[in-house]
Amino acid sequence: MIEVKNNVYWVGIKDWDLRRFHGHELSTHRGSTYNSYIIKDEKTVLVDTVWNPYKEEFVENLEREVGLENIDMIIINHCEPDHAGSLGYLMEKIPNTPIYCSKNGEQSIKGHFHKDWNINVVKTGDSLKIGENELVFVEMTMMHWPDSMLTYVKGANVVLSNDAFGQHYSPSSLFNDQVDQCELYQEAIKYFANILNPFRPLIKKKIEEIKAMNLDIDVIAPSHGVIWRDNPIQIVEKYYEWSQSDFSEDYAVIVYDTMYDATKNMAQAIAEGLRNNNINSKLYNSSVTDKSDLITELFKAKAIIMGSCTVNNGTLSSISMLLEEMQLLKLKNKPAAAFGSFGWSGEGPGHISERLKKNGMKVDLEPIKFKYQPTEEQLKECVEFGEKFAQSL
Ligand SMILES: [Fe+2]
Ligand SMILES: [Fe+2]
């Protein structure tokens, strides 16, 4: 156990090896942690568990450090198996322990475990005195599941926020002031872009609601990654910034897929046009770039230019899948344009342009396309296309 603050302890698992999460959907280059917490007061409270592959190690740790018979209650902030997965194994050993969760959490726990446990439903503002500290519950519906909630430990002033404010990051230290800040923020924004972005408007409202509660917050302890104890509000402020519909950083992204480099050559010429008008850009070939990293870059981009050569009257699959993913993650409201080469029919760039519009991007320019390898003259037209796009920003 590692003391977080005033008898609040971390009893989680560090998963150094994890490289894919949510099945294989999300890349986790720096591993992850499953953070579970113990509060030792007159009552001993366990908050969340860990992913089921680690259930034995987790329960052994609890037995050694706390004693299972000493656990008076369990709070389940969120029932996704990376946090509640070990609950079944733990409850086999302490089956009568009361569980506290949100109303949606009750359904979720029953749906996952099919057991008749002692489940107590709590809602926003409900509190539970456990001795010197009091637990206050705040529902965090769709941050990022219907059942999500946070538990505020009033007294210790620790927010146990579950997935919110987390990162898939497993450094040697558990605390934000002891890790590389660039790595930390890279993982925090990647988490936001890939998991939380669909719920952006709700997040903005929820943060305003939490701010209005005027809680004294000394520590924010999420269920993945490091614990925010140095200026914890910094991550709340970042979430607020990221949740604005017009959030972006100061660069454009050109993303393309290519068969024989004609579309790639067009991409480079368009980037030159952007640069001529003082717009920095990053170029990515979507077929060889990690999808989760690419989504993070598209989330941060202030504009997106997307290209593919035409194949079978459409686009290469990495571009069509990316457009689908962007729609599902509600990546929208950015200036965008399309381009590409073709061999005979040339529908690809038009498909991209239409799909970008359907996704809610702002598309003003007609897509640019050329047959076969672009000539010097055509590459100049691509440069001009980039310049024109830059002027519109
Ligand atoms: Fe989750
Ligand atoms: Fe999680």
Side-chain angles (χ1 to χ4, degrees):
M1 291 207 304
I2 297 169
E3 185 163 22
V4 175
K5 188 178 182 261
N6 292 22
N7 298 329
V8 179
Y9 298 87
W10 178 89
V11 283
I13 292 284
K14 288 186 176 181
D15 193 347
W16 309 97
D17 296 340
L18 188 78
R19 289 295 176 270
R20 307 301 302 182
F21 187 74
H22 276 165
H24 284 258
E25 273 294 286
L26 187 71
S27 64
T28 53
H29 307 309
R30 299 185 172 95
S32 193
T33 69
Y34 316 107
N35 299 340
S36 166
Y37 298 95
I38 279 280
I39 309 162
K40 280 189 172 176
D41 203 326
E42 283 170 28
K43 302 277 188 202
T44 298
V45 184
L46 174 69
V47 181
D48 296 320
T49 71
V50 303
W51 195 22
N52 26 323
Y54 295 97
K55 63 186 179 187
E56 279 148 9
E57 186 180 343
F58 172 67
V59 170
E60 270 168 32
N61 289 347
L62 282 179
E63 176 70 290
R64 189 183 61 246
E65 302 279 345
V66 186
L68 298 185
E69 69 288 358
N70 295 322
I71 297 173
D72 295 302
M73 58 182 80
I74 301 170
I75 314 292
I76 293 294
N77 279 325
H78 170 38
C79 193
E80 196 169 357
D82 55 324
H83 305 297
S86 298
L87 185 64
Y89 183 68
L90 177 63
M91 290 300 281
E92 282 172 18
K93 298 173 190 308
I94 47 171
N96 299 318
T97 312
I99 296 169
Y100 292 79
C101 61
S102 66
K103 189 161 178 38
N104 289 324
E106 180 184 31
Q107 288 175 17
S108 194
I109 291 171
K110 286 184 173 166
H112 277 93
F113 295 101
H114 312 287
K115 295 280 189 219
D116 197 19
W117 291 328
N118 175 4
I119 295 179
N120 302 269
V121 169
V122 293
K123 59 183 189 307
T124 296
D126 284 356
S127 61
L128 207 57
K129 194 89 183 133
I130 56 167
E132 280 184 26
N133 294 288
E134 190 177 2
L135 306 181
V136 181
F137 304 102
V138 179
E139 286 164 275
M140 301 281 278
T141 313
M142 299 321 292
M143 267 182 86
H144 67 125
W145 268 28
D147 67 345
S148 301
M149 70 171 193
L150 69 74
T151 301
Y152 173 59
V153 188
K154 192 176 172 183
N157 299 341
V158 174
V159 173
L160 303 172
S161 60
N162 200 270
D163 281 323
F165 314 121
Q167 337 86 45
H168 287 303
Y169 186 30
S170 183
S172 60
S173 169
L174 266 183
F175 298 102
N176 71 314
D177 50 301
Q178 294 176 336
V179 302
D180 183 309
Q181 298 301 294
C182 292
E183 287 183 356
L184 171 59
Y185 269 102
Q186 197 177 16
E187 293 304 336
I189 198 167
K190 180 177 178 179
Y191 195 94
F192 190 99
N194 283 275
I195 294 178
L196 296 170
N197 194 62
F199 317 112
R200 258 210 256 208
L202 291 172
I203 293 169
K204 187 167 170 279
K205 252 173 74 185
K206 182 52 72 174
I207 289 175
E208 284 162 359
E209 185 189 318
I210 292 171
K211 277 183 176 169
M213 290 172 87
N214 277 326
L215 306 175
D216 287 325
I217 298 174
D218 294 337
V219 173
I220 295 176
S223 56
H224 298 289
V226 301
I227 293 164
W228 304 86
R229 68 175 179 188
D230 175 41
N231 181 19
I233 299 306
Q234 63 179 297
I235 189 61
V236 181
E237 281 164 359
K238 275 290 170 196
Y239 263 48
Y240 198 63
E241 198 184 318
W242 297 337
S243 68
Q244 306 297 316
S245 61
D246 60 352
F247 165 78
S248 70
E249 294 191 3
D250 194 16
Y251 63 87
V253 163
I254 301 175
V255 56
Y256 64 90
D257 197 351
T258 190
M259 274 190 181
Y260 299 111
D261 287 352
T263 302
K264 178 182 176 180
N265 292 336
M266 290 178 73
Q268 287 171 347
I270 293 168
E272 190 184 326
L274 293 180
R275 201 162 51 242
N276 291 345
N277 280 348
N278 300 315
I279 301 293
N280 285 322
S281 64
K282 299 187 191 179
L283 274 74
Y284 291 101
N285 179 332
S286 50
S287 71
V288 294
T289 307
D290 178 279
K291 186 194 71 176
S292 313
D293 293 336
L294 194 47
I295 288 292
T296 312
E297 286 291 59
L298 294 170
F299 170 73
K300 293 198 287 186
K302 71 172 173 184
I304 294 167
I305 306 182
M306 208 169 203
S308 171
C309 57
T310 298
V311 59
N312 297 329
N313 309 112
T315 62
L316 285 167
S317 60
S318 77
I319 287 292
S320 46
M321 285 192 293
L322 190 58
L323 281 161
E324 176 77 5
E325 183 81 359
M326 285 162 72
Q327 183 191 355
L328 300 176
L329 289 172
K330 297 192 168 67
L331 279 175
K332 51 188 179 182
N333 293 331
K334 296 175 193 277
F339 67 99
S341 72
F342 62 99
W344 59 96
S345 56
E347 295 90 341
H351 280 197
I352 296 173
S353 188
E354 285 311 306
R355 187 64 196 267
L356 286 168
K357 281 183 208 165
K358 191 180 154 213
N359 283 5
M361 295 291 180
K362 299 176 218 163
V363 183
D364 291 330
L365 289 182
E366 282 300 309
I368 186 169
K369 60 180 185 178
F370 291 115
K371 199 166 183 178
Y372 308 131
Q373 286 291 342
T375 62
E376 282 303 311
E377 194 49 46
Q378 287 168 334
L379 286 175
K380 264 188 209 147
E381 284 183 51
C382 290
V383 173
E384 284 160 18
F385 182 83
E387 287 169 348
K388 210 165 156 193
F389 184 78
Q391 282 159 15
S392 74
L393 297 181

